Amino acid sequence: NGIILEKSVDTSDWVTPGRTLYRLAATEDLFIKVAVSEKISPYSIPGTPVDVVLTATAQKMAGRIEGILPVADQKTKNVTVKVRLMVSGTIGQNIAENM
């Protein structure tokens, strides 16, 4: 399942092989990236369940830590923790890319 993020063609447009027609986003296989202090990163263990609150929509949902991206921010020394959202039903349709 997914939603259309961007449409590159209109009805009756000619298309060529390899041209991008649409950009899609999954509504069931969602991840978020969370910047955390490197001091907290040892507690970000893959498989650990976490609670997630999306500020923009006030939605609360469950997540699971997938891992830490292997590069820290040079200025802040924060690392990025990747969290898989456990979505069900239409919850994923109310989430926007880069929210």
Side-chain angles (χ1 to χ4, degrees), residues 10-79:
D10 289 315
T11 304
S12 77
D13 281 356
W14 286 93
V15 295
T16 57
R19 180 177 176 189
T20 301
L21 305 179
Y22 299 96
R23 199 165 64 93
L24 305 174
T27 55
E28 294 178 0
D29 190 26
L30 300 177
F31 292 90
I32 60 172
K33 295 177 183 175
V34 182
V36 299
S37 167
E38 64 182 350
K39 294 178 183 176
I40 298 174
S41 65
Y43 305 103
S44 302
I45 302 165
T48 303
V50 293
D51 294 325
V52 176
V53 177
L54 299 177
T55 307
T57 61
Q59 289 178 294
K60 296 179 182 178
M61 60 186 67
R64 186 179 68 239
I65 295 175
E66 291 288 315
I68 297 175
L69 300 183
V71 177
D73 184 278
Q74 289 181 346
K75 292 180 182 177
T76 65
K77 302 302 182 203
N78 287 344
V79 295

